Amino acid sequence: MAKLSDHGIRLSSMSPSFLHSNSTSHIWPFSAVAELVDNALDPGVSAKQIWIDVVEEAGHLCLTFVDNGSGMTPNKLHKMLSFGFTDKGSGKASQQAIGLYGNGFKSGSMRLGRDALIFTKNGGCQTVGMLSQTFLENIKAQCIITSFCRLRMSHSYLHLIHACHVSTVAQNRQTTH
């Protein structure tokens, strides 16, 4: 049964297979890498350095991108993991953000791998987000779902503030505290 809005209107959903289909817009892996690097170079991010590495984790090769930018708030991370949302507006040509359609991270990361984990820190809040084809297949999801949690550091301990699964299309939250 399709989810309904607050006004009783059926909401569309996006099949998990779209993550792979969408990634094929990058014919070459290097264009997908460029997409992820471009995000770190956007105005307002303030990254001065970017590190790209390959690490092995539990027998799997993982491509990592790390920058020293300003990080994202939990709300900004949620929008980045959603389709079609962008805060990038038209500014001066010298400060123009690359990518204005809210699709680059999803298409780029899914071209390079089946799963993406995003660790970001903004102010005192650390947030972890996940966009994962593997997870969606394992739970037999009928629509794309992203997961994220917020953590706060105090006295050398990380405390879970909020964890939820958010449907990127229907935006329905199932929250646990």
Side-chain angles (χ1 to χ4, degrees), residues 3 8 17 21 25 40 46 49 62 79 88 101 118 124 136 139 169:
K3 302 227 188 247
S17 65
S21 301
S25 63
S46 307
Q49 296 174 306
C62 301
K79 285 184 176 182
K88 300 175 183 181
Y101 305 106
I118 303 92
L136 296 172
I139 67 167
V169 177

Coordinates of all heavy atoms in Angstrom, one line a residue, residues 3 8 17 21 25 40 46 49 62 79 88 101 118 124 136 139 169:
K3 N 2.2 5.0 0.7 CA 2.1 5.9 1.9 C 1.2 7.1 1.5 O 1.2 7.5 0.3 CB 3.4 6.3 2.3 CG 4.3 5.1 2.7 CD 5.0 5.4 4.0 CE 6.0 4.3 4.2 NZ 5.8 3.5 5.3
G8 N -4.0 12.9 2.6 CA -4.5 11.8 2.0 C -4.1 11.5 0.6 O -4.7 10.7 -0.1
S17 N 16.3 0.0 -6.8 CA 17.1 -0.2 -8.1 C 17.5 1.1 -8.7 O 18.4 1.1 -9.6 CB 16.4 -1.2 -9.0 OG 15.2 -0.5 -9.5
S21 N 20.7 2.5 -11.3 CA 20.3 3.1 -12.5 C 20.9 4.6 -12.6 O 21.4 5.0 -13.6 CB 18.8 3.2 -12.7 OG 18.3 1.9 -12.7
S25 N 24.9 7.4 -14.8 CA 25.1 8.7 -15.5 C 26.6 9.0 -15.5 O 27.0 9.9 -16.3 CB 24.3 9.8 -14.8 OG 24.7 9.9 -13.4
A40 N 33.4 18.9 -1.7 CA 34.3 19.5 -0.6 C 34.8 20.8 -1.0 O 35.2 21.6 -0.2 CB 35.5 18.5 -0.4
S46 N 34.6 25.2 3.0 CA 35.9 25.7 3.5 C 36.9 24.7 3.6 O 37.8 24.8 4.4 CB 35.7 26.4 4.8 OG 34.7 27.4 4.8
Q49 N 42.0 20.9 2.4 CA 42.7 19.6 2.0 C 41.6 18.5 1.8 O 40.6 18.5 2.6 CB 43.7 19.2 3.1 CG 44.8 20.3 3.2 CD 45.7 19.9 4.4 OE1 45.2 19.7 5.5 NE2 47.0 19.8 4.1
C62 N 37.5 -0.4 0.6 CA 36.7 0.8 0.8 C 37.4 2.0 0.3 O 38.6 2.2 0.7 CB 36.4 0.9 2.3 SG 35.5 -0.5 3.0
K79 N 19.3 16.2 3.9 CA 19.0 16.8 2.6 C 20.0 16.2 1.5 O 19.5 15.9 0.4 CB 19.0 18.3 2.6 CG 17.8 18.9 3.2 CD 17.8 20.4 3.1 CE 16.6 21.0 3.7 NZ 16.5 22.4 3.6
K88 N 22.3 24.9 -2.6 CA 23.2 25.6 -3.5 C 22.4 26.5 -4.4 O 21.6 26.1 -5.2 CB 24.1 24.6 -4.3 CG 24.9 23.7 -3.5 CD 25.6 22.6 -4.4 CE 26.3 21.6 -3.5 NZ 27.0 20.7 -4.4
Y101 N 21.4 20.3 -8.6 CA 20.2 19.5 -8.7 C 20.0 18.5 -7.6 O 19.0 17.7 -7.6 CB 20.2 18.8 -10.1 CG 20.4 19.8 -11.2 CD1 21.6 19.9 -11.9 CD2 19.3 20.6 -11.5 CE1 21.7 20.8 -12.9 CE2 19.4 21.5 -12.5 CZ 20.6 21.6 -13.2 OH 20.8 22.5 -14.2
I118 N 28.6 8.2 5.7 CA 29.1 9.5 5.8 C 29.3 9.9 7.2 O 28.3 9.8 8.0 CB 28.1 10.5 5.1 CG1 27.9 10.1 3.6 CG2 28.6 11.9 5.2 CD1 26.7 9.2 3.5
G124 N 29.4 20.9 17.8 CA 29.6 19.8 18.8 C 28.9 18.5 18.4 O 28.9 17.6 19.1
L136 N 19.3 -2.1 1.7 CA 18.0 -2.1 1.1 C 17.6 -3.5 0.5 O 16.5 -4.0 0.6 CB 17.9 -1.1 0.0 CG 18.1 0.4 0.5 CD1 18.1 1.3 -0.7 CD2 16.9 0.7 1.4
I139 N 16.9 -6.0 3.5 CA 15.6 -5.8 4.2 C 14.4 -5.9 3.2 O 13.3 -5.7 3.6 CB 15.5 -4.5 5.0 CG1 15.6 -3.3 4.1 CG2 16.6 -4.5 6.1 CD1 15.2 -2.0 4.8
V169 N 11.9 9.6 -0.2 CA 10.9 10.2 -1.1 C 9.7 10.6 -0.2 O 9.2 11.7 -0.3 CB 10.5 9.2 -2.1 CG1 9.3 9.7 -3.0 CG2 11.7 8.9 -3.0

